[in-house]
Amino acid sequence: MHQGIPLHYFLIVSTLMFFIGIFGFLTRRNLITILMSIELILNSVNINFVVFNRYLFPHKLQGHFFSMIVIAIAAAEAAVAIAIIINIYRNFRSIEVGKVDEMKH
Amino acid sequence: MNLSDLMIMRHELLLTLLAVSILIMDLGAGPKHRYLVLPVSLILFFVNLIIGFLPVREGTLFGGMYHTSGLIILMKNILNIGFFIVMLQSFTWLKKEENKLKMSEFYVLLLATLIGMNFMISSGDFLMFYLGLELATIPMAALAAYVHHQTRSAEAGIKLILISALSSGILLFGLSMIYGTTGSIFFNEVKAAYSSEPLQVLGFIFFFAGMGFKISLVPFHLWTADVYEGAPVGVTSYLSVISKGAAVFIFILVLYTVFTSIDFLWKDLTYIIAVLTMTIGNLFALRQKNLKRLLAFSSIAQAGFILLGIIAGSKLGMASVIYFILVYIFSNLGAFGVVAAIHDHTGKESMDDYNGLYHTNPRLSLLMMLSLFSLAGIPPVAGFFGKFFLFTSAASGGYYWLVFIAVLNATISLYYYLLVVKAMFINKNDHPIEPFSSDITTRLGLLICTAGIVALGFYNTVYELINKLSIGIN
Amino acid sequence: MNNLVMFFILSGLILVFSVMTVLTRRILRSAVFLLFVLLATAGLYFMLDYMFLAAVQLTVYAGGIVVLIIFSILLTSHISERAAMAGKWPMIASAFVVLLGAGVTLYTIYSYVFKASAEPAIPSTMKSIGSHLISYGEDGYALPFEVISVLLLAVMIGAIIVAKKEVK
Amino acid sequence: MHGYAYTVYILLIPFIIFIFLGLFGNRFKPMFSGIVGSAGLLVSFILSLTTAYRYFFASAPGEDGYTAIIAMNAVWLRLTETLHIDMGILLDPISVMMLIVITTVSLMVHIYSIGYMKGERGYERFFSFLSLFTFSMLGLVVAANIFQMYIFWELVGVSSYLLIGFYYQRPSAVAASKKAFIVTRFADLGFLIGILVLSFTTGTFDFQTLTDPAGPAVTHAGGATFLGLSVITWSLILVFMGGAGKSAMFPLHIWLPDAMEGPTPVSALIHAATMVVAGVYLVARMFPVYALAGIPALNVVAYVGGFTSLFAAVIACTQLDIKRVLAYSTMSQIGYMMLALGVARYGGHEGLGFMASMFHLFTHAMFKALLFLCAGAVIHAVHTNYMNEMGGLRKYLPITHITFLVACLTIAGIPTFAGFFSKDEILAAAWHHNKFLFFVEYIVAGLTAFYMFRLYFSIFQGKQAHYHHVPQEAPYVMTIPLMLLALVSVFSGFIPFHSLVTSDGLHLDTRIEWGVAIPSVLIAVAGIGVAAVMYRKESALPERMASTFRHLYTWSYHKFYIDEVYLFITKKVIFRYISTPVAWFDRHVVDGTINGIAWVIVSASQKVKGLQSGQLQQYALVFVSGAVLLILVFICLLY
Amino acid sequence: MHFLNLFVVVPALTIVAILFTRDLKGARWASAVGMSIQLVLAGALVFMYLSARNAGVADEMLFTADSTWFPSLNIRYAIGVDGISVAMIALTAVVIFAGVFASWEMEFLSREFFISLILLCSGVFGFFISLDLFTMFLFYELAVIPMYLLIGIWGSGPKEYSAMKLTLMLMGGSALLTVGILGLYFHSAAAGGQHTFHILEIAKTDIPVTAQRFFFPFTFIGFGILGALFPLHTWSPDGHSSAPTAVSMLHAGVLMKLGGYGCFRVAMFLMPEAANEMAWIFIILTTISVVYGAFGAIWQKDLKYINAYSSVSHCGLVLFALLMMNQTAMNGAIIQMISHGLMTALFFALIGMIYSRTHTRIIDQMGGLMKVIPFLSAVYVIAGLASLGLPGLSGFVAEATIFVGAFQHADTFHRVVTIVATTSIVITAVYILRVIGILLLGPIKNEHFEHLGDAHWYERISTIILVLGIAGIGLAPLWLSDMINFSLAPIIGKLSGLVNDVPLVLN
């Protein structure tokens, strides 16, 4: 295929990255590392879009721009999340996710 | 493309204009006049609401990324109505001393989410859809975390933003698969190329999960109650009604126009999720003592009912869903309006605090009862019609057992609604909530809700209009 | 062939640092590993001839987000602090779910035959990207571009509101 | 056409009086209601007499004998095409005879009650109920339709209930009234089912169609069978069950002695003369069906009647409450009538028993009413019901004494008194059909004479008992009815029943069969003699007799413990072993299931709360697991 | 305005009038006037109906009106009455009239009480005039839901529990009903045709037997719960015993009849084949209910419980007779509905009146009331006699018709269960007489009772109107029976018809 690298290779990488991100989300106890896991997830999605665009549908730039938008949104999300995390830190004096469970049941 | 074409985007443009003007007014007004920004924005939004009903051209813009139709405009107008009520209801709270420095920002953020929803509903491709979705979600997190001095508010904010990020990650992964297997992100092209290949199914399910988060379907619902409880009441009601309504709108639009070729699949999926959502939502709602939390779980159960309309896949189904959302906006905002009014005056939101409310605040109690009955689907209030039409549409697809499960769930839900009614009307209380009178805005909001709850069922024109505009899978 | 080697190096980096990002117990290191992942991803984009995207990835992601994250880490934790991981059972459950999900997904992807479009490719030069970005016709992205500006504005306000210190 | 339409007034007058007194009686002086009631009944009485005269004597019977006349008929309720409940008046020999019996006795009782009930609380209520009863009883006898009969049958039952419970503040009266109602109600259940079966088989309620020898009831007799008996037979047995209940046949007799808790005039009217013979009347009314289609049922009637007569007579010998003695005597005499019907067959001389039964019904009504009214007068005078607290009343109550003696002689079957003739016919009929029952009846005749004179001697002769105040003869308003009834008792034996009331309406030649009559008279005299020896003077003989036949005496004194059996069945079995478990079952099992469902839901709600742990990552785990699970399900399993 | 609409409009106007009153005095007079008008209207309706029939009008439904409500779903506001609904309307008017007077002294939140009560009754009226399943269902639920507040606020004893139980069980019933109604709707037209909720139009189409088999149990049980079908009757004892007087009257007297009415007007009329097929199951259940309810009543000590169980028995008889599916038995069933409605309302009214004097409902604590409150006691006896089926009162007419009708069945099974059911008349006598004996007769147990006052004028009005109804039907049943018979004919015709079998579409 393109430049000798099969499409599936990219997809395997991105899929693994996606699930590693999810694993991180599920297991890290620190809110910021959870946020980083999300970045991993979004990054893997970006790879997908880009690769599909390049390999399969190069006649348009849909995947490409999708990735761009995702990057921008990831930034926005991170901004708000970090703002809230700082707020949490002020309120809880900790950014341990386990401690943020005042509301339950 | 010329300027008149842009008028097709009137809803979004006006809202953006409104948001910007509020921002500018807020910046421009001196500290003495800042309190004027709120009423002015209210009035401006009301004007916008009215303008929304003026006829507008249907059409497609930006190469198919944006499109409107009578149906979509109707949905936007419905959201506008709800938005207006939320604005009215949060007025009292915003005027409080604690929010002095961030009054109008609240409206701006809310407006931003509404713009996002409008774009989302109007989207013609997954990119705009995703963008709208995020625009409708990210500022929400900021709104949920609006109250600084409350840990719960921050907690709600972080839970919302993180889970929403996760869900949008999963949704995006699904979208990437959809893109990869169909070669396009445009709805009409995706529709043409979609079949039930496993990878496409996988992509669809990831997409479904992402939407499930927005509509709070089980098992993607767990954030709901915590966020609803922690967020300010206005935000909660907004989340539970407008946000959810918009998500349902786009969800049903996408299902009915894009994934038509795998309708058998999403119908089965919806069946399972509907049963789970109704049942789990109700089971959790049963033992809630906090009104906001109770309404949160009830709104999960209501989402399950909404799926009953979606599953039909017919014009009837869509009409029922839209009608139900409209009714639901009035009913739920009525209930939240009462909760907000009481919270604003007393800070109380536990069911036990409501004991004997009827004797001190009869009108609020009556409205609360009406709203709850409407939520439960009891005649003659509008909720009855809404629910009945949903059941009808599910039955039209032959899903009689699903209808049965749903109606049984409606009965269970009646139980906890009645618990609230019981608290207000029957239970005795030595220290009931003192009689108080609310602001004119709160009253106006509640009045609109009451009118909606009472009249919507009998005023058949509304339903017929919706029905006329609705579409089904052909 | 070179490309393949390059790909293996980059993807190897991506995967290893991804794993390390989620497994290392030091938060700051984790941020640095994330930076490596993002850089390697940018490398992939370069390989695919998406220069502009790679640049965006470098500036926005690596330059913006990671810096933001590092700042916040510095703001909220001590350098030496070791982040706790979830307990044993959550770990096992998460690992199980993730492995299952990854397995199914990979299997599904692998068994799918992707169909490429026959139409000729369009260049992904800066010029063409630029013109696409401001075009409002077919394959034009002016609208998302504008909307995202609204989003960023809203997010800015939101972040300020949330992070702003309360005036008591 | 037939000119009998006026007979409807015989019924309507008491009914109107009932309504009037019931609603407005308390607006007037008490005496007023008595007078109104009696006056109204007098009119009914005269109308009945006129009817009887016109029916029997004014026109000669045709070839078919006395035929039935429908004086009026109106549909009351349409049930099916063929089945409709009518309100009609059927005049035939037995109903006309019953009109006379009822109006006569009722009139006497009304007049008597004016005196007897003086000063009682609820005077107007009493007369109102009496009128209701009279109305119902008249309606019962003239019923043209078996369902109409059932309707009035029930009304009679409820009037009886109301009157027995007249002294409603006395617990025993309340209990007795309840018992009477429930026992007869139970019997009526049989009657109702009988009607259902009968109407299902024959498609009609109409008496004339039913009893027509060529009608559907008779022609369907050979139809389906159940346990070896035809359906018609079963229905007749069920109908007889109703009759047995009303007529206090064994084993449904237990309510009658207790019913004596009611005011004595009530006992005279309802529980001696009229209502209790309704069962006999019912069988007589349906007689052609019994005789032509249900001989086994008729045998049941005969044996039940025979056994009851003996059984009741034995008990009567040991009772001390004079009204109870009379009550058992009534049972015994009705047993006679039933037996007579049971040994009769349709038509000609075979129908002797039928005629005898009706004859005895008539005479018995008169002398038994008389006996009760006399007893009432005695009780009125001495304020006790127990014969061992009485004695030597002869000189205080001369009129009562004479009339009571006349009645005793009549019931004992001493020749020239009415009872002799009617009883003789019965014995003759039994002799021809069933020797065993015949001998039983001989014994009963002796016992009857014995216990009646035991009663007579204990009350009017014997030792002078100690009274709180000197007993006084009743006022004329009470004694005149006594004398009138005594006259009727003496002379009614000469009424030519054999040519008036027969099974097929035709004239029947009868003569006194001396071979049967003489021994029976001798037995009666012997019975009187024994009673005289034992009770005329104070003696230790009764005690000795009692100890000699200790077991028999105790059993008899305790009415063979039938009440206890019933009590066991009702209190223990129904109340404790059915009703209580049913109530328990309902509360705990049925309702428990419903509550259990609620409990399950609520506790499920409690159980799942852990899902909502407040832990963000757990939410995410559920989220992801849900998505993965759905993928697994939909990709691997479904598609 | 259409005449029948008045039956819904008058209660609505009454409610508005009550809103303008200030206190108990105003509220009760407004209600009394409103419900008197309603009574007059009902009388006029009976008269108009009978004269129309006498004039030879042979339409199945009279005074019909039909206006579209939701055109897209073909939901219509269709009204009309036949002899059966006229009878039920008359019953409702009488009972609510009596009910208003029975709650004359409702001090606590009186306006709210009367509003809820009349709201309830407007639901009932609406139900009986509806010909459209949708509006029928709407009115049905409208009638059920005010019960919660009525029992919960103004009730006694474990009122909250009872109110909740009653509401939830009845709503569970309406859950079943929803499915049934929707099933009927979607099978009401051949493929491509316009679906309809209109009863008469559905009756004209042949619903496939497979569909009937599926939906009949839903519909029948759904209505059956309100008609106290064993074993789903347990809301009734608790609900009735906790409810305030007028509510018990209305609920047992009228609301339970909605169940019976719905069972045949919807379930059996529209799904005749399934009704024929499945009747035996429900016949067994109802037979149990008849006998079981009666036995259950014997043991009870609370007056209201006794009457509630008696209602289970009597309402069981209604369903029992309906399931016999011949004209006579069904006629009996409807007479029984009316008869039971009147007498149970009378019972509950009396129990309420006695309770307001003695402050107890436990029979063992009372006794000899006949002496102190003769009027109420006498009426109680009349009600009791009516209940145990004394001729001359309405209960007998109903039971006689039912038993004769049921026994006309050619099938042995039906006749056997009929005999079993007839035994209830004895058991009924037992518990009725037991209560009368303990409660009214005998010596006065409590000296406080010596000074009780007899019925007030409003209580007399309340009871006398019911007694008049009971006696009126009992003495002259023919007009009622004929009125019902005429309207039953088409239903019976439908029940004995046949349709072809088309498979049911079900996911």
Side-chain angles (χ1 to χ4, degrees), chain B residues 406-419:
Chain B
V407 198
L408 280 187
N409 265 301
T411 309
I412 298 176
S413 76
L414 182 61
Y415 169 73
Y416 53 79
Y417 292 134
L418 282 181
L419 284 184

PDB file of all heavy atoms in Angstrom, chain B residues 406-419:
ATOM      1  N   ALA B 406     -42.437  -0.789  29.634  1.00  0.00           N
ATOM      2  CA  ALA B 406     -42.395   0.662  29.834  1.00  0.00           C
ATOM      3  C   ALA B 406     -43.529   1.122  30.724  1.00  0.00           C
ATOM      4  O   ALA B 406     -43.332   1.944  31.619  1.00  0.00           O
ATOM      5  CB  ALA B 406     -42.471   1.358  28.480  1.00  0.00           C
ATOM      6  N   VAL B 407     -44.708   0.592  30.501  1.00  0.00           N
ATOM      7  CA  VAL B 407     -45.827   1.071  31.305  1.00  0.00           C
ATOM      8  C   VAL B 407     -45.684   0.619  32.739  1.00  0.00           C
ATOM      9  O   VAL B 407     -46.022   1.353  33.667  1.00  0.00           O
ATOM     10  CB  VAL B 407     -47.179   0.607  30.719  1.00  0.00           C
ATOM     11  CG1 VAL B 407     -48.281   1.438  31.272  1.00  0.00           C
ATOM     12  CG2 VAL B 407     -47.174   0.720  29.225  1.00  0.00           C
ATOM     13  N   LEU B 408     -45.159  -0.582  32.919  1.00  0.00           N
ATOM     14  CA  LEU B 408     -44.899  -1.010  34.294  1.00  0.00           C
ATOM     15  C   LEU B 408     -43.899  -0.070  34.942  1.00  0.00           C
ATOM     16  O   LEU B 408     -44.052   0.321  36.110  1.00  0.00           O
ATOM     17  CB  LEU B 408     -44.339  -2.432  34.307  1.00  0.00           C
ATOM     18  CG  LEU B 408     -45.356  -3.553  34.166  1.00  0.00           C
ATOM     19  CD1 LEU B 408     -44.658  -4.882  34.378  1.00  0.00           C
ATOM     20  CD2 LEU B 408     -46.470  -3.398  35.177  1.00  0.00           C
ATOM     21  N   ASN B 409     -42.896   0.300  34.192  1.00  0.00           N
ATOM     22  CA  ASN B 409     -41.914   1.237  34.729  1.00  0.00           C
ATOM     23  C   ASN B 409     -42.555   2.580  35.028  1.00  0.00           C
ATOM     24  O   ASN B 409     -42.194   3.239  36.002  1.00  0.00           O
ATOM     25  CB  ASN B 409     -40.771   1.403  33.743  1.00  0.00           C
ATOM     26  CG  ASN B 409     -39.635   0.476  34.069  1.00  0.00           C
ATOM     27  OD1 ASN B 409     -39.090   0.544  35.147  1.00  0.00           O
ATOM     28  ND2 ASN B 409     -39.309  -0.412  33.162  1.00  0.00           N
ATOM     29  N   ALA B 410     -43.483   2.970  34.183  1.00  0.00           N
ATOM     30  CA  ALA B 410     -44.184   4.221  34.456  1.00  0.00           C
ATOM     31  C   ALA B 410     -44.913   4.116  35.785  1.00  0.00           C
ATOM     32  O   ALA B 410     -44.980   5.077  36.552  1.00  0.00           O
ATOM     33  CB  ALA B 410     -45.157   4.530  33.328  1.00  0.00           C
ATOM     34  N   THR B 411     -45.422   2.925  36.066  1.00  0.00           N
ATOM     35  CA  THR B 411     -46.100   2.736  37.349  1.00  0.00           C
ATOM     36  C   THR B 411     -45.122   2.857  38.506  1.00  0.00           C
ATOM     37  O   THR B 411     -45.412   3.493  39.512  1.00  0.00           O
ATOM     38  CB  THR B 411     -46.764   1.356  37.362  1.00  0.00           C
ATOM     39  OG1 THR B 411     -47.539   1.217  36.190  1.00  0.00           O
ATOM     40  CG2 THR B 411     -47.639   1.205  38.574  1.00  0.00           C
ATOM     41  N   ILE B 412     -43.952   2.241  38.323  1.00  0.00           N
ATOM     42  CA  ILE B 412     -42.947   2.364  39.387  1.00  0.00           C
ATOM     43  C   ILE B 412     -42.564   3.829  39.563  1.00  0.00           C
ATOM     44  O   ILE B 412     -42.430   4.323  40.675  1.00  0.00           O
ATOM     45  CB  ILE B 412     -41.698   1.533  39.043  1.00  0.00           C
ATOM     46  CG1 ILE B 412     -42.078   0.058  38.953  1.00  0.00           C
ATOM     47  CG2 ILE B 412     -40.626   1.736  40.088  1.00  0.00           C
ATOM     48  CD1 ILE B 412     -40.933  -0.827  38.537  1.00  0.00           C
ATOM     49  N   SER B 413     -42.427   4.511  38.439  1.00  0.00           N
ATOM     50  CA  SER B 413     -42.019   5.909  38.556  1.00  0.00           C
ATOM     51  C   SER B 413     -43.102   6.706  39.268  1.00  0.00           C
ATOM     52  O   SER B 413     -42.801   7.614  40.036  1.00  0.00           O
ATOM     53  CB  SER B 413     -41.738   6.487  37.176  1.00  0.00           C
ATOM     54  OG  SER B 413     -42.941   6.758  36.499  1.00  0.00           O
ATOM     55  N   LEU B 414     -44.334   6.316  39.023  1.00  0.00           N
ATOM     56  CA  LEU B 414     -45.413   7.007  39.726  1.00  0.00           C
ATOM     57  C   LEU B 414     -45.206   6.920  41.236  1.00  0.00           C
ATOM     58  O   LEU B 414     -45.512   7.850  41.965  1.00  0.00           O
ATOM     59  CB  LEU B 414     -46.749   6.380  39.338  1.00  0.00           C
ATOM     60  CG  LEU B 414     -47.977   7.012  39.954  1.00  0.00           C
ATOM     61  CD1 LEU B 414     -48.089   8.456  39.521  1.00  0.00           C
ATOM     62  CD2 LEU B 414     -49.224   6.264  39.556  1.00  0.00           C
ATOM     63  N   TYR B 415     -44.650   5.794  41.673  1.00  0.00           N
ATOM     64  CA  TYR B 415     -44.445   5.619  43.107  1.00  0.00           C
ATOM     65  C   TYR B 415     -43.594   6.742  43.686  1.00  0.00           C
ATOM     66  O   TYR B 415     -43.970   7.391  44.656  1.00  0.00           O
ATOM     67  CB  TYR B 415     -43.808   4.256  43.367  1.00  0.00           C
ATOM     68  CG  TYR B 415     -43.311   4.073  44.773  1.00  0.00           C
ATOM     69  CD1 TYR B 415     -44.210   3.884  45.820  1.00  0.00           C
ATOM     70  CD2 TYR B 415     -41.968   4.113  45.075  1.00  0.00           C
ATOM     71  CE1 TYR B 415     -43.768   3.726  47.110  1.00  0.00           C
ATOM     72  CE2 TYR B 415     -41.515   3.959  46.361  1.00  0.00           C
ATOM     73  CZ  TYR B 415     -42.416   3.768  47.379  1.00  0.00           C
ATOM     74  OH  TYR B 415     -41.969   3.629  48.657  1.00  0.00           O
ATOM     75  N   TYR B 416     -42.443   6.981  43.063  1.00  0.00           N
ATOM     76  CA  TYR B 416     -41.603   8.004  43.715  1.00  0.00           C
ATOM     77  C   TYR B 416     -42.101   9.411  43.439  1.00  0.00           C
ATOM     78  O   TYR B 416     -41.896  10.305  44.245  1.00  0.00           O
ATOM     79  CB  TYR B 416     -40.114   7.825  43.372  1.00  0.00           C
ATOM     80  CG  TYR B 416     -39.721   7.742  41.922  1.00  0.00           C
ATOM     81  CD1 TYR B 416     -39.625   8.873  41.144  1.00  0.00           C
ATOM     82  CD2 TYR B 416     -39.420   6.528  41.348  1.00  0.00           C
ATOM     83  CE1 TYR B 416     -39.238   8.809  39.824  1.00  0.00           C
ATOM     84  CE2 TYR B 416     -39.023   6.436  40.019  1.00  0.00           C
ATOM     85  CZ  TYR B 416     -38.949   7.592  39.261  1.00  0.00           C
ATOM     86  OH  TYR B 416     -38.564   7.525  37.959  1.00  0.00           O
ATOM     87  N   TYR B 417     -42.797   9.593  42.334  1.00  0.00           N
ATOM     88  CA  TYR B 417     -43.414  10.909  42.157  1.00  0.00           C
ATOM     89  C   TYR B 417     -44.459  11.131  43.246  1.00  0.00           C
ATOM     90  O   TYR B 417     -44.579  12.217  43.819  1.00  0.00           O
ATOM     91  CB  TYR B 417     -44.062  11.022  40.787  1.00  0.00           C
ATOM     92  CG  TYR B 417     -43.082  11.031  39.629  1.00  0.00           C
ATOM     93  CD1 TYR B 417     -43.297  10.262  38.511  1.00  0.00           C
ATOM     94  CD2 TYR B 417     -41.946  11.818  39.672  1.00  0.00           C
ATOM     95  CE1 TYR B 417     -42.401  10.258  37.454  1.00  0.00           C
ATOM     96  CE2 TYR B 417     -41.040  11.823  38.628  1.00  0.00           C
ATOM     97  CZ  TYR B 417     -41.272  11.043  37.517  1.00  0.00           C
ATOM     98  OH  TYR B 417     -40.388  11.054  36.490  1.00  0.00           O
ATOM     99  N   LEU B 418     -45.195  10.059  43.516  1.00  0.00           N
ATOM    100  CA  LEU B 418     -46.220  10.191  44.553  1.00  0.00           C
ATOM    101  C   LEU B 418     -45.604  10.421  45.925  1.00  0.00           C
ATOM    102  O   LEU B 418     -46.215  11.067  46.775  1.00  0.00           O
ATOM    103  CB  LEU B 418     -47.098   8.938  44.584  1.00  0.00           C
ATOM    104  CG  LEU B 418     -48.150   8.852  43.473  1.00  0.00           C
ATOM    105  CD1 LEU B 418     -48.966   7.591  43.617  1.00  0.00           C
ATOM    106  CD2 LEU B 418     -49.075  10.049  43.500  1.00  0.00           C
ATOM    107  N   LEU B 419     -44.399   9.895  46.121  1.00  0.00           N
ATOM    108  CA  LEU B 419     -43.747  10.152  47.402  1.00  0.00           C
ATOM    109  C   LEU B 419     -43.565  11.651  47.607  1.00  0.00           C
ATOM    110  O   LEU B 419     -43.750  12.180  48.712  1.00  0.00           O
ATOM    111  CB  LEU B 419     -42.395   9.463  47.458  1.00  0.00           C
ATOM    112  CG  LEU B 419     -42.404   7.955  47.681  1.00  0.00           C
ATOM    113  CD1 LEU B 419     -40.985   7.449  47.804  1.00  0.00           C
ATOM    114  CD2 LEU B 419     -43.184   7.609  48.932  1.00  0.00           C
TER     115      LEU B 419
END
